[in-house]
């Protein structure tokens, strides 16, 4: 008899509810077969994710309520975007701190859940036992991937939705972190879901290849950290950089260009722009910076008529997140295909 089958009478109470091995009612989802096995194997990790998600949601709801109560006591002029109301810094700090903590979820998904998922079964011999029964390798691999992946996606999606609900009323007031930072960009929208699924599947692939739990976790950690570094450098390049310029000169009293609300400056800073539209580096005439008149005369001799600044407008955030989500999900799909193909042929 397959070790995954069971006697319905032994597993159910008189009312049909599942029982555990001691005859008491089962705590958790009512599952059977491979799904029941996967849940039993990883129920500690699954319950940790569920409880952590509930606690995270509760904390954010409480903090948002406190923040909204504070904002309700302010006069309308004090809520103007781009200006920080008195004593609002502590709420902004809490928000960016929570966002920073949530940005580590992909690391945990890859290292603590993905890497040991199959590596542990290969190391202990559970995979050989299960696949020697009536369960096919494809069915086992599918359930091993699908159940934790669904839980990861659901948890990150819920946390993202609640964090976005908290952040949305004060987008222009929170100045502690730019919207393109990991504490905001990577924990709102669908980005955290795609990011966590990517690191989770990469962890599973590493475990499948290395077949040792601890080694797989260490290697996965290195890969996830590398992905975080690359993603941090790539994130801003997903947007379309725009420019704003002036043409009223650069002498004393001339104003530099102003960026739109919540825009993020790009590049090296402020450039000099000439009448022909060319841009000069900020080091132009730097040797005469100590003398305003000499510096201005030097710039005018090069045809400089004003300044220019590059920026990313806040309106592009959604588009950038969708693009980043698509890239990560495409890579995730490729990794899943590899896991299934490799596992069906070389699992044992």
């Amino acid at each position: 008899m397959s070790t995954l089958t069971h006697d319905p009478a032994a597993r159910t109470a008189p009312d049909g509810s599942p029982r555990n091995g001691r005859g008491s009612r089962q705590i958790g989802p009512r599952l059977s077969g491979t799904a029941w096995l996967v849940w039993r194997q990883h129920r500690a990790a699954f319950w940790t994710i569920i409880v952590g998600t509930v606690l995270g949601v509760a904390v954010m709801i409480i903090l948002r309520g406190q923040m909204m109560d504070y904002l309700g006591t302010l006069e309308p002029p004090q809520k103007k975007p781009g200006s920080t109301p008195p004593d609002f810094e502590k709420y902004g700090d809490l928000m960016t701190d929570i966002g920073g903590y949530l940005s580590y979820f992909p690391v945990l998904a890859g290292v603590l859940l993905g890497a040991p998922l199959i590596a542990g079964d290969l190391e202990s011999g559970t995979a050989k036992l299960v696949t020697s029964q009536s369960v096919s390798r494809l069915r086992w691999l599918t359930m091993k991937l699908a159940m934790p992946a669904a839980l990861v996606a659901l948890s990150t999606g819920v946390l993202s939705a609640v964090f976005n609900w908290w952040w949305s009323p004060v987008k222009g007031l929170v100045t502690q972190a730019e919207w393109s930072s990991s504490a905001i960009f990577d924990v709102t929208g669908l980005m955290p879901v795609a990011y966590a699924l990517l690191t989770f599947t990469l962890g599973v692939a590493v475990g499948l290849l290395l077949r040792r739990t601890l080694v797989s976790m260490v290697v996965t950690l290195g890969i996830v950290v590398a992905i975080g570094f690359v993603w941090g450098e790539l994130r801003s390049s997903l947007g379309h950089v725009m420019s704003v310029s002036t043409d009223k000169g650069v002498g004393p009293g001339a104003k530099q260009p102003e960026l739109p609300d919540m825009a993020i400056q790009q590049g090296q800073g402020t450039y000099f722009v000439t009448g022909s539209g060319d841009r000069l580096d900020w080091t132009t005439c730097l040797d005469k910076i100590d003398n305003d008149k000499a510096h201005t005369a030097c710039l005018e001799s090069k045809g400089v008529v004003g300044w220019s600044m590059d920026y990313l407008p806040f309106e592009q955030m959604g588009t950038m997140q969708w693009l980043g989500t698509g890239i990560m999900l495409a890579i995730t799909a490729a990794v899943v295909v590899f896991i299934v193909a490799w596992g069906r042929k070389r699992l044992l």
Side-chain angles (χ1 to χ4, degrees), residues 124-169:
S124 65
T126 302
K128 184 175 182 180
L129 174 63
V130 172
T131 55
S132 66
Q133 306 299 314
S134 59
V135 178
S136 67
R137 294 183 182 182
L138 178 59
R139 180 184 172 188
W140 181 71
L141 280 172
T142 301
M143 187 56 64
K144 289 285 283 189
L145 283 172
M147 184 178 289
L151 184 58
V152 166
L154 179 61
S155 298
T156 51
V158 170
L159 291 171
S160 170
V162 176
F163 184 86
N164 190 71
W165 173 66
W166 179 17
W167 175 64
S168 293

mmCIF file of all heavy atoms in Angstrom, residues 124-169:
data_model
loop_
_atom_site.group_PDB
_atom_site.id
_atom_site.type_symbol
_atom_site.label_atom_id
_atom_site.label_comp_id
_atom_site.label_asym_id
_atom_site.label_seq_id
_atom_site.Cartn_x
_atom_site.Cartn_y
_atom_site.Cartn_z
ATOM 1 N N SER A 124 17.632 13.648 3.382
ATOM 2 C CA SER A 124 17.109 12.676 4.349
ATOM 3 C C SER A 124 16.604 11.392 3.704
ATOM 4 O O SER A 124 16.348 10.418 4.401
ATOM 5 C CB SER A 124 15.957 13.324 5.133
ATOM 6 O OG SER A 124 14.868 13.619 4.268
ATOM 7 N N GLY A 125 16.441 11.383 2.379
ATOM 8 C CA GLY A 125 15.923 10.210 1.692
ATOM 9 C C GLY A 125 14.413 10.201 1.539
ATOM 10 O O GLY A 125 13.855 9.248 0.981
ATOM 11 N N THR A 126 13.748 11.255 2.019
ATOM 12 C CA THR A 126 12.286 11.323 1.903
ATOM 13 C C THR A 126 11.843 11.342 0.457
ATOM 14 O O THR A 126 10.834 10.726 0.091
ATOM 15 C CB THR A 126 11.756 12.579 2.621
ATOM 16 O OG1 THR A 126 12.167 12.544 3.984
ATOM 17 C CG2 THR A 126 10.244 12.643 2.551
ATOM 18 N N ALA A 127 12.590 12.036 -0.391
ATOM 19 C CA ALA A 127 12.221 12.118 -1.808
ATOM 20 C C ALA A 127 12.225 10.739 -2.458
ATOM 21 O O ALA A 127 11.318 10.397 -3.229
ATOM 22 C CB ALA A 127 13.182 13.050 -2.544
ATOM 23 N N LYS A 128 13.215 9.937 -2.133
ATOM 24 C CA LYS A 128 13.289 8.588 -2.701
ATOM 25 C C LYS A 128 12.137 7.722 -2.216
ATOM 26 O O LYS A 128 11.547 6.954 -2.985
ATOM 27 C CB LYS A 128 14.620 7.951 -2.324
ATOM 28 C CG LYS A 128 14.844 6.589 -2.945
ATOM 29 C CD LYS A 128 16.235 6.065 -2.626
ATOM 30 C CE LYS A 128 16.483 4.715 -3.302
ATOM 31 N NZ LYS A 128 17.851 4.204 -2.993
ATOM 32 N N LEU A 129 11.786 7.877 -0.933
ATOM 33 C CA LEU A 129 10.685 7.092 -0.381
ATOM 34 C C LEU A 129 9.362 7.473 -1.029
ATOM 35 O O LEU A 129 8.581 6.612 -1.425
ATOM 36 C CB LEU A 129 10.606 7.324 1.137
ATOM 37 C CG LEU A 129 9.420 6.692 1.852
ATOM 38 C CD1 LEU A 129 9.483 5.177 1.731
ATOM 39 C CD2 LEU A 129 9.391 7.119 3.320
ATOM 40 N N VAL A 130 9.119 8.781 -1.144
ATOM 41 C CA VAL A 130 7.844 9.240 -1.685
ATOM 42 C C VAL A 130 7.690 8.828 -3.143
ATOM 43 O O VAL A 130 6.646 8.304 -3.552
ATOM 44 C CB VAL A 130 7.722 10.775 -1.543
ATOM 45 C CG1 VAL A 130 6.479 11.283 -2.278
ATOM 46 C CG2 VAL A 130 7.657 11.158 -0.077
ATOM 47 N N THR A 131 8.721 9.048 -3.935
ATOM 48 C CA THR A 131 8.616 8.763 -5.374
ATOM 49 C C THR A 131 8.684 7.272 -5.691
ATOM 50 O O THR A 131 8.442 6.874 -6.826
ATOM 51 C CB THR A 131 9.727 9.503 -6.143
ATOM 52 O OG1 THR A 131 11.011 9.149 -5.591
ATOM 53 C CG2 THR A 131 9.540 10.997 -6.049
ATOM 54 N N SER A 132 9.024 6.455 -4.707
ATOM 55 C CA SER A 132 9.001 5.006 -4.932
ATOM 56 C C SER A 132 7.605 4.437 -4.728
ATOM 57 O O SER A 132 7.366 3.258 -4.998
ATOM 58 C CB SER A 132 9.989 4.310 -3.988
ATOM 59 O OG SER A 132 9.564 4.442 -2.639
ATOM 60 N N GLN A 133 6.691 5.288 -4.248
ATOM 61 C CA GLN A 133 5.323 4.857 -4.029
ATOM 62 C C GLN A 133 4.500 5.178 -5.289
ATOM 63 O O GLN A 133 5.036 5.270 -6.383
ATOM 64 C CB GLN A 133 4.754 5.560 -2.791
ATOM 65 C CG GLN A 133 5.605 5.386 -1.536
ATOM 66 C CD GLN A 133 5.753 3.923 -1.124
ATOM 67 O OE1 GLN A 133 4.771 3.189 -1.101
ATOM 68 N NE2 GLN A 133 6.973 3.511 -0.804
ATOM 69 N N SER A 134 3.227 5.394 -5.094
ATOM 70 C CA SER A 134 2.335 5.605 -6.233
ATOM 71 C C SER A 134 2.334 7.046 -6.732
ATOM 72 O O SER A 134 1.631 7.374 -7.675
ATOM 73 C CB SER A 134 0.901 5.209 -5.845
ATOM 74 O OG SER A 134 0.467 5.985 -4.735
ATOM 75 N N VAL A 135 3.121 7.905 -6.103
ATOM 76 C CA VAL A 135 3.165 9.314 -6.478
ATOM 77 C C VAL A 135 4.256 9.527 -7.508
ATOM 78 O O VAL A 135 5.409 9.148 -7.298
ATOM 79 C CB VAL A 135 3.431 10.200 -5.246
ATOM 80 C CG1 VAL A 135 3.519 11.664 -5.653
ATOM 81 C CG2 VAL A 135 2.344 9.997 -4.207
ATOM 82 N N SER A 136 3.915 10.149 -8.620
ATOM 83 C CA SER A 136 4.914 10.431 -9.657
ATOM 84 C C SER A 136 5.797 11.591 -9.241
ATOM 85 O O SER A 136 5.433 12.408 -8.391
ATOM 86 C CB SER A 136 4.221 10.770 -10.977
ATOM 87 O OG SER A 136 3.516 12.000 -10.875
ATOM 88 N N ARG A 137 6.972 11.664 -9.846
ATOM 89 C CA ARG A 137 7.887 12.759 -9.539
ATOM 90 C C ARG A 137 7.268 14.107 -9.896
ATOM 91 O O ARG A 137 7.422 15.075 -9.151
ATOM 92 C CB ARG A 137 9.197 12.585 -10.309
ATOM 93 C CG ARG A 137 10.004 11.372 -9.902
ATOM 94 C CD ARG A 137 11.316 11.326 -10.661
ATOM 95 N NE ARG A 137 12.088 10.135 -10.326
ATOM 96 C CZ ARG A 137 13.291 9.865 -10.817
ATOM 97 N NH1 ARG A 137 13.854 10.707 -11.674
ATOM 98 N NH2 ARG A 137 13.925 8.767 -10.455
ATOM 99 N N LEU A 138 6.573 14.163 -11.026
ATOM 100 C CA LEU A 138 5.972 15.421 -11.462
ATOM 101 C C LEU A 138 4.917 15.900 -10.469
ATOM 102 O O LEU A 138 4.873 17.085 -10.106
ATOM 103 C CB LEU A 138 5.346 15.253 -12.852
ATOM 104 C CG LEU A 138 4.638 16.495 -13.417
ATOM 105 C CD1 LEU A 138 5.620 17.658 -13.528
ATOM 106 C CD2 LEU A 138 4.017 16.182 -14.776
ATOM 107 N N ARG A 139 4.080 14.979 -10.017
ATOM 108 C CA ARG A 139 3.038 15.347 -9.059
ATOM 109 C C ARG A 139 3.647 15.833 -7.756
ATOM 110 O O ARG A 139 3.204 16.834 -7.170
ATOM 111 C CB ARG A 139 2.121 14.154 -8.812
ATOM 112 C CG ARG A 139 0.990 14.430 -7.819
ATOM 113 C CD ARG A 139 0.193 13.179 -7.571
ATOM 114 N NE ARG A 139 -0.783 13.373 -6.492
ATOM 115 C CZ ARG A 139 -1.499 12.393 -5.961
ATOM 116 N NH1 ARG A 139 -1.366 11.145 -6.424
ATOM 117 N NH2 ARG A 139 -2.346 12.640 -4.988
ATOM 118 N N TRP A 140 4.679 15.131 -7.293
ATOM 119 C CA TRP A 140 5.323 15.515 -6.040
ATOM 120 C C TRP A 140 6.000 16.879 -6.165
ATOM 121 O O TRP A 140 5.858 17.744 -5.302
ATOM 122 C CB TRP A 140 6.339 14.441 -5.653
ATOM 123 C CG TRP A 140 7.047 14.708 -4.363
ATOM 124 C CD1 TRP A 140 6.529 14.638 -3.110
ATOM 125 C CD2 TRP A 140 8.412 15.091 -4.212
ATOM 126 N NE1 TRP A 140 7.491 14.951 -2.175
ATOM 127 C CE2 TRP A 140 8.656 15.237 -2.824
ATOM 128 C CE3 TRP A 140 9.451 15.315 -5.110
ATOM 129 C CZ2 TRP A 140 9.899 15.596 -2.323
ATOM 130 C CZ3 TRP A 140 10.696 15.679 -4.614
ATOM 131 C CH2 TRP A 140 10.906 15.820 -3.235
ATOM 132 N N LEU A 141 6.745 17.083 -7.264
ATOM 133 C CA LEU A 141 7.409 18.364 -7.483
ATOM 134 C C LEU A 141 6.401 19.506 -7.588
ATOM 135 O O LEU A 141 6.606 20.592 -7.042
ATOM 136 C CB LEU A 141 8.254 18.310 -8.759
ATOM 137 C CG LEU A 141 9.620 17.638 -8.662
ATOM 138 C CD1 LEU A 141 10.228 17.490 -10.049
ATOM 139 C CD2 LEU A 141 10.558 18.435 -7.762
ATOM 140 N N THR A 142 5.312 19.232 -8.300
ATOM 141 C CA THR A 142 4.295 20.265 -8.479
ATOM 142 C C THR A 142 3.707 20.704 -7.152
ATOM 143 O O THR A 142 3.560 21.901 -6.883
ATOM 144 C CB THR A 142 3.177 19.756 -9.403
ATOM 145 O OG1 THR A 142 3.739 19.397 -10.681
ATOM 146 C CG2 THR A 142 2.113 20.822 -9.602
ATOM 147 N N MET A 143 3.366 19.740 -6.293
ATOM 148 C CA MET A 143 2.790 20.092 -5.008
ATOM 149 C C MET A 143 3.815 20.747 -4.091
ATOM 150 O O MET A 143 3.496 21.689 -3.352
ATOM 151 C CB MET A 143 2.205 18.839 -4.334
ATOM 152 C CG MET A 143 1.428 19.147 -3.063
ATOM 153 S SD MET A 143 0.086 20.347 -3.324
ATOM 154 C CE MET A 143 -0.963 19.402 -4.453
ATOM 155 N N LYS A 144 5.061 20.275 -4.154
ATOM 156 C CA LYS A 144 6.111 20.871 -3.328
ATOM 157 C C LYS A 144 6.330 22.337 -3.684
ATOM 158 O O LYS A 144 6.653 23.162 -2.820
ATOM 159 C CB LYS A 144 7.424 20.099 -3.500
ATOM 160 C CG LYS A 144 7.440 18.727 -2.876
ATOM 161 C CD LYS A 144 7.573 18.787 -1.365
ATOM 162 C CE LYS A 144 8.968 19.080 -0.918
ATOM 163 N NZ LYS A 144 9.144 18.933 0.559
ATOM 164 N N LEU A 145 6.174 22.659 -4.949
ATOM 165 C CA LEU A 145 6.347 24.048 -5.388
ATOM 166 C C LEU A 145 5.080 24.866 -5.179
ATOM 167 O O LEU A 145 5.137 26.013 -4.723
ATOM 168 C CB LEU A 145 6.737 24.082 -6.871
ATOM 169 C CG LEU A 145 8.180 23.734 -7.224
ATOM 170 C CD1 LEU A 145 8.322 23.635 -8.741
ATOM 171 C CD2 LEU A 145 9.142 24.777 -6.676
ATOM 172 N N ALA A 146 3.936 24.281 -5.546
ATOM 173 C CA ALA A 146 2.697 25.059 -5.591
ATOM 174 C C ALA A 146 2.228 25.527 -4.220
ATOM 175 O O ALA A 146 1.840 26.690 -4.051
ATOM 176 C CB ALA A 146 1.604 24.233 -6.258
ATOM 177 N N MET A 147 2.256 24.661 -3.229
ATOM 178 C CA MET A 147 1.704 25.037 -1.927
ATOM 179 C C MET A 147 2.499 26.163 -1.259
ATOM 180 O O MET A 147 1.920 27.196 -0.876
ATOM 181 C CB MET A 147 1.613 23.817 -1.007
ATOM 182 C CG MET A 147 0.947 24.144 0.328
ATOM 183 S SD MET A 147 0.784 22.687 1.403
ATOM 184 C CE MET A 147 -0.477 21.780 0.515
ATOM 185 N N PRO A 148 3.818 26.037 -1.106
ATOM 186 C CA PRO A 148 4.553 27.156 -0.497
ATOM 187 C C PRO A 148 4.560 28.405 -1.372
ATOM 188 O O PRO A 148 4.528 29.521 -0.846
ATOM 189 C CB PRO A 148 5.964 26.600 -0.303
ATOM 190 C CG PRO A 148 6.062 25.436 -1.205
ATOM 191 C CD PRO A 148 4.690 24.874 -1.328
ATOM 192 N N ALA A 149 4.583 28.235 -2.697
ATOM 193 C CA ALA A 149 4.566 29.405 -3.582
ATOM 194 C C ALA A 149 3.263 30.167 -3.431
ATOM 195 O O ALA A 149 3.252 31.412 -3.406
ATOM 196 C CB ALA A 149 4.761 28.970 -5.032
ATOM 197 N N ALA A 150 2.157 29.441 -3.328
ATOM 198 C CA ALA A 150 0.859 30.102 -3.141
ATOM 199 C C ALA A 150 0.818 30.852 -1.812
ATOM 200 O O ALA A 150 0.301 31.971 -1.735
ATOM 201 C CB ALA A 150 -0.260 29.073 -3.196
ATOM 202 N N LEU A 151 1.386 30.252 -0.775
ATOM 203 C CA LEU A 151 1.397 30.909 0.531
ATOM 204 C C LEU A 151 2.291 32.146 0.515
ATOM 205 O O LEU A 151 1.940 33.193 1.082
ATOM 206 C CB LEU A 151 1.878 29.925 1.596
ATOM 207 C CG LEU A 151 1.847 30.431 3.040
ATOM 208 C CD1 LEU A 151 0.438 30.866 3.431
ATOM 209 C CD2 LEU A 151 2.356 29.346 3.985
ATOM 210 N N VAL A 152 3.445 32.048 -0.148
ATOM 211 C CA VAL A 152 4.352 33.198 -0.267
ATOM 212 C C VAL A 152 3.674 34.330 -1.018
ATOM 213 O O VAL A 152 3.724 35.496 -0.609
ATOM 214 C CB VAL A 152 5.660 32.781 -0.973
ATOM 215 C CG1 VAL A 152 6.454 34.010 -1.412
ATOM 216 C CG2 VAL A 152 6.508 31.917 -0.050
ATOM 217 N N ALA A 153 3.021 33.997 -2.134
ATOM 218 C CA ALA A 153 2.350 35.021 -2.935
ATOM 219 C C ALA A 153 1.213 35.677 -2.153
ATOM 220 O O ALA A 153 1.046 36.898 -2.189
ATOM 221 C CB ALA A 153 1.813 34.401 -4.225
ATOM 222 N N LEU A 154 0.431 34.863 -1.446
ATOM 223 C CA LEU A 154 -0.683 35.401 -0.677
ATOM 224 C C LEU A 154 -0.187 36.304 0.452
ATOM 225 O O LEU A 154 -0.715 37.406 0.666
ATOM 226 C CB LEU A 154 -1.516 34.256 -0.103
ATOM 227 C CG LEU A 154 -2.716 34.661 0.758
ATOM 228 C CD1 LEU A 154 -3.710 35.481 -0.050
ATOM 229 C CD2 LEU A 154 -3.397 33.421 1.341
ATOM 230 N N SER A 155 0.822 35.859 1.178
ATOM 231 C CA SER A 155 1.333 36.631 2.309
ATOM 232 C C SER A 155 1.930 37.959 1.849
ATOM 233 O O SER A 155 1.623 39.019 2.415
ATOM 234 C CB SER A 155 2.397 35.825 3.062
ATOM 235 O OG SER A 155 1.839 34.642 3.602
ATOM 236 N N THR A 156 2.782 37.918 0.832
ATOM 237 C CA THR A 156 3.392 39.159 0.345
ATOM 238 C C THR A 156 2.346 40.078 -0.265
ATOM 239 O O THR A 156 2.434 41.304 -0.123
ATOM 240 C CB THR A 156 4.487 38.863 -0.684
ATOM 241 O OG1 THR A 156 3.976 37.989 -1.702
ATOM 242 C CG2 THR A 156 5.688 38.207 -0.032
ATOM 243 N N GLY A 157 1.353 39.496 -0.933
ATOM 244 C CA GLY A 157 0.294 40.317 -1.510
ATOM 245 C C GLY A 157 -0.514 41.047 -0.447
ATOM 246 O O GLY A 157 -0.834 42.231 -0.596
ATOM 247 N N VAL A 158 -0.841 40.347 0.639
ATOM 248 C CA VAL A 158 -1.601 40.968 1.728
ATOM 249 C C VAL A 158 -0.777 42.053 2.402
ATOM 250 O O VAL A 158 -1.260 43.175 2.650
ATOM 251 C CB VAL A 158 -2.031 39.900 2.750
ATOM 252 C CG1 VAL A 158 -2.599 40.550 4.005
ATOM 253 C CG2 VAL A 158 -3.065 38.972 2.141
ATOM 254 N N LEU A 159 0.485 41.761 2.719
ATOM 255 C CA LEU A 159 1.343 42.747 3.362
ATOM 256 C C LEU A 159 1.543 43.970 2.469
ATOM 257 O O LEU A 159 1.547 45.110 2.947
ATOM 258 C CB LEU A 159 2.694 42.123 3.704
ATOM 259 C CG LEU A 159 2.681 41.070 4.817
ATOM 260 C CD1 LEU A 159 4.027 40.367 4.904
ATOM 261 C CD2 LEU A 159 2.337 41.708 6.166
ATOM 262 N N SER A 160 1.695 43.732 1.177
ATOM 263 C CA SER A 160 1.868 44.839 0.230
ATOM 264 C C SER A 160 0.629 45.714 0.181
ATOM 265 O O SER A 160 0.723 46.951 0.187
ATOM 266 C CB SER A 160 2.176 44.285 -1.167
ATOM 267 O OG SER A 160 2.119 45.303 -2.143
ATOM 268 N N ALA A 161 -0.536 45.092 0.131
ATOM 269 C CA ALA A 161 -1.785 45.858 0.052
ATOM 270 C C ALA A 161 -1.981 46.723 1.300
ATOM 271 O O ALA A 161 -2.382 47.888 1.205
ATOM 272 C CB ALA A 161 -2.964 44.905 -0.126
ATOM 273 N N VAL A 162 -1.692 46.151 2.464
ATOM 274 C CA VAL A 162 -1.877 46.914 3.708
ATOM 275 C C VAL A 162 -0.848 48.033 3.813
ATOM 276 O O VAL A 162 -1.174 49.157 4.227
ATOM 277 C CB VAL A 162 -1.787 45.976 4.929
ATOM 278 C CG1 VAL A 162 -1.882 46.767 6.227
ATOM 279 C CG2 VAL A 162 -2.891 44.934 4.873
ATOM 280 N N PHE A 163 0.400 47.746 3.434
ATOM 281 C CA PHE A 163 1.422 48.797 3.478
ATOM 282 C C PHE A 163 1.069 49.925 2.517
ATOM 283 O O PHE A 163 1.234 51.109 2.858
ATOM 284 C CB PHE A 163 2.795 48.232 3.124
ATOM 285 C CG PHE A 163 3.914 49.242 3.237
ATOM 286 C CD1 PHE A 163 4.552 49.460 4.447
ATOM 287 C CD2 PHE A 163 4.315 49.983 2.140
ATOM 288 C CE1 PHE A 163 5.572 50.399 4.570
ATOM 289 C CE2 PHE A 163 5.329 50.927 2.244
ATOM 290 C CZ PHE A 163 5.966 51.136 3.465
ATOM 291 N N ASN A 164 0.606 49.592 1.321
ATOM 292 C CA ASN A 164 0.216 50.618 0.353
ATOM 293 C C ASN A 164 -0.958 51.453 0.886
ATOM 294 O O ASN A 164 -1.012 52.678 0.676
ATOM 295 C CB ASN A 164 -0.161 49.965 -0.977
ATOM 296 C CG ASN A 164 -0.336 50.974 -2.086
ATOM 297 O OD1 ASN A 164 0.628 51.572 -2.569
ATOM 298 N ND2 ASN A 164 -1.571 51.186 -2.508
ATOM 299 N N TRP A 165 -1.885 50.807 1.576
ATOM 300 C CA TRP A 165 -3.017 51.506 2.188
ATOM 301 C C TRP A 165 -2.538 52.480 3.256
ATOM 302 O O TRP A 165 -3.087 53.568 3.424
ATOM 303 C CB TRP A 165 -3.951 50.457 2.768
ATOM 304 C CG TRP A 165 -5.092 50.971 3.580
ATOM 305 C CD1 TRP A 165 -6.156 51.727 3.159
ATOM 306 C CD2 TRP A 165 -5.313 50.745 4.983
ATOM 307 N NE1 TRP A 165 -7.009 51.979 4.194
ATOM 308 C CE2 TRP A 165 -6.524 51.388 5.333
ATOM 309 C CE3 TRP A 165 -4.604 50.039 5.966
ATOM 310 C CZ2 TRP A 165 -7.032 51.361 6.622
ATOM 311 C CZ3 TRP A 165 -5.112 50.007 7.257
ATOM 312 C CH2 TRP A 165 -6.322 50.666 7.573
ATOM 313 N N TRP A 166 -1.504 52.090 3.967
ATOM 314 C CA TRP A 166 -0.905 52.949 4.993
ATOM 315 C C TRP A 166 -0.164 54.132 4.363
ATOM 316 O O TRP A 166 -0.269 55.268 4.822
ATOM 317 C CB TRP A 166 0.038 52.089 5.829
ATOM 318 C CG TRP A 166 0.774 52.781 6.937
ATOM 319 C CD1 TRP A 166 0.486 53.995 7.503
ATOM 320 C CD2 TRP A 166 1.925 52.280 7.623
ATOM 321 N NE1 TRP A 166 1.393 54.282 8.491
ATOM 322 C CE2 TRP A 166 2.281 53.243 8.596
ATOM 323 C CE3 TRP A 166 2.673 51.106 7.517
ATOM 324 C CZ2 TRP A 166 3.372 53.066 9.442
ATOM 325 C CZ3 TRP A 166 3.743 50.931 8.365
ATOM 326 C CH2 TRP A 166 4.088 51.897 9.318
ATOM 327 N N TRP A 167 0.562 53.872 3.285
ATOM 328 C CA TRP A 167 1.441 54.879 2.677
ATOM 329 C C TRP A 167 0.689 55.861 1.777
ATOM 330 O O TRP A 167 1.068 57.037 1.683
ATOM 331 C CB TRP A 167 2.533 54.168 1.883
ATOM 332 C CG TRP A 167 3.446 55.058 1.098
ATOM 333 C CD1 TRP A 167 4.304 55.994 1.590
ATOM 334 C CD2 TRP A 167 3.607 55.073 -0.322
ATOM 335 N NE1 TRP A 167 5.001 56.595 0.567
ATOM 336 C CE2 TRP A 167 4.586 56.052 -0.618
ATOM 337 C CE3 TRP A 167 3.032 54.349 -1.373
ATOM 338 C CZ2 TRP A 167 4.992 56.328 -1.920
ATOM 339 C CZ3 TRP A 167 3.438 54.623 -2.663
ATOM 340 C CH2 TRP A 167 4.407 55.596 -2.935
ATOM 341 N N SER A 168 -0.368 55.405 1.121
ATOM 342 C CA SER A 168 -1.049 56.219 0.103
ATOM 343 C C SER A 168 -1.488 57.609 0.580
ATOM 344 O O SER A 168 -1.294 58.591 -0.137
ATOM 345 C CB SER A 168 -2.259 55.456 -0.448
ATOM 346 O OG SER A 168 -1.847 54.326 -1.178
ATOM 347 N N PRO A 169 -2.063 57.762 1.776
ATOM 348 C CA PRO A 169 -2.519 59.104 2.171
ATOM 349 C C PRO A 169 -1.391 60.104 2.404
ATOM 350 O O PRO A 169 -1.639 61.306 2.448
ATOM 351 C CB PRO A 169 -3.286 58.850 3.476
ATOM 352 C CG PRO A 169 -3.560 57.387 3.502
ATOM 353 C CD PRO A 169 -2.437 56.757 2.771
#
